[in-house]
Amino acid sequence: MLTLKTIATGSSGNSYALMNDNEILLLDLGVSEKVIKKAIDFRISDVVGAVVTHSHLDHAKAVNDFENMGIPVFAPYKSLEPMSFKDGSQVKVQSFDLADKNGKFMHTNNDGSECPCYGFLIEHEDMGKMLYITDTELVKWRFSGINHILISCNYQKKYISDSAKRTHVLRGHMELKTVKDFIKANKSNALRTVILCHMSGDSCNAEECLSEVQKVVGDGVKCICAAAGETVELSLYPF
């Protein structure tokens, strides 16, 4: 069985580790190399690779550090060439663009230009299929047989009143209803875990979000909010 450890989540930095006794796959590198190393108990030799969604520092801060250590980093915003993880790894990763139907990326840079951003479909025999999706307003793709979903739930519209903040938050981020609609469109009897991440502390209520998502997935599916330092088992059996 694999476990997912949240190293950091939110606007100050995002990084997660898929782990078992032999392998570690890092998801985003948005905090310092030292923080990530400590979070995985300095098991650098077990890191088979890392995937990075986009270039913003809260997701990509330590990319150069890990590349310099010889860790394979799959960053499709830089190159779509398929990544070869360390020999013997059981991990399979497929990227998909987080763009609209016209191919325009919905996440943006500070100047308003498009920020290429990608989601990942990750497969491993110990956990099945997992989706990692963050920093987008919606997801045009549909998937089958998904067992686990790690997805950003950045805000709830009812908690955003300031017009300037509203423009910033709504641009390239996912609202609770959109998260629910995506899960509803992609859930099946295989779904076991939903983890909400990258939540804004003053723009959403975690308990409300969990309650709403739990209604969508029903009994037998574990729903949690990611929190730094916490782990969740990614089981193939009902919760």
Side-chain angles (χ1 to χ4, degrees), residues 34 127 145 176 206 211:
K34 291 181 180 180
M127 70 164 186
L176 173 61
S211 177

Short mmCIF file of all heavy atoms in Angstrom, two decimals, residues 34 127 145 176 206 211:
data_model
loop_
_atom_site.label_atom_id
_atom_site.label_comp_id
_atom_site.label_asym_id
_atom_site.label_seq_id
_atom_site.Cartn_x
_atom_site.Cartn_y
_atom_site.Cartn_z
N LYS A 34 15.60 21.33 1.82
CA LYS A 34 15.78 20.86 3.19
C LYS A 34 14.46 20.40 3.80
O LYS A 34 14.40 19.37 4.49
CB LYS A 34 16.39 21.96 4.05
CG LYS A 34 17.84 22.29 3.71
CD LYS A 34 18.38 23.38 4.62
CE LYS A 34 19.83 23.70 4.27
NZ LYS A 34 20.38 24.77 5.15
N MET A 127 -1.55 1.06 -5.29
CA MET A 127 -2.64 2.00 -5.01
C MET A 127 -3.66 2.11 -6.14
O MET A 127 -4.72 2.70 -5.97
CB MET A 127 -2.09 3.40 -4.70
CG MET A 127 -1.52 4.10 -5.91
SD MET A 127 -1.29 5.88 -5.67
CE MET A 127 -0.77 6.34 -7.35
N GLY A 145 -12.08 4.57 -13.91
CA GLY A 145 -11.40 3.68 -12.97
C GLY A 145 -10.46 4.36 -12.01
O GLY A 145 -9.50 3.74 -11.53
N LEU A 176 -15.31 25.35 -5.11
CA LEU A 176 -15.88 24.11 -4.56
C LEU A 176 -16.86 23.45 -5.52
O LEU A 176 -16.81 22.24 -5.74
CB LEU A 176 -16.56 24.40 -3.23
CG LEU A 176 -17.36 23.24 -2.62
CD1 LEU A 176 -16.46 22.03 -2.35
CD2 LEU A 176 -18.06 23.69 -1.35
N ALA A 206 -13.04 24.57 5.42
CA ALA A 206 -12.65 23.18 5.16
C ALA A 206 -13.75 22.20 5.53
O ALA A 206 -14.02 21.24 4.79
CB ALA A 206 -11.37 22.87 5.93
N SER A 211 -17.79 18.25 3.82
CA SER A 211 -19.17 17.79 3.91
C SER A 211 -19.83 17.74 2.53
O SER A 211 -20.52 16.77 2.19
CB SER A 211 -19.98 18.71 4.83
OG SER A 211 -21.33 18.32 4.87
#
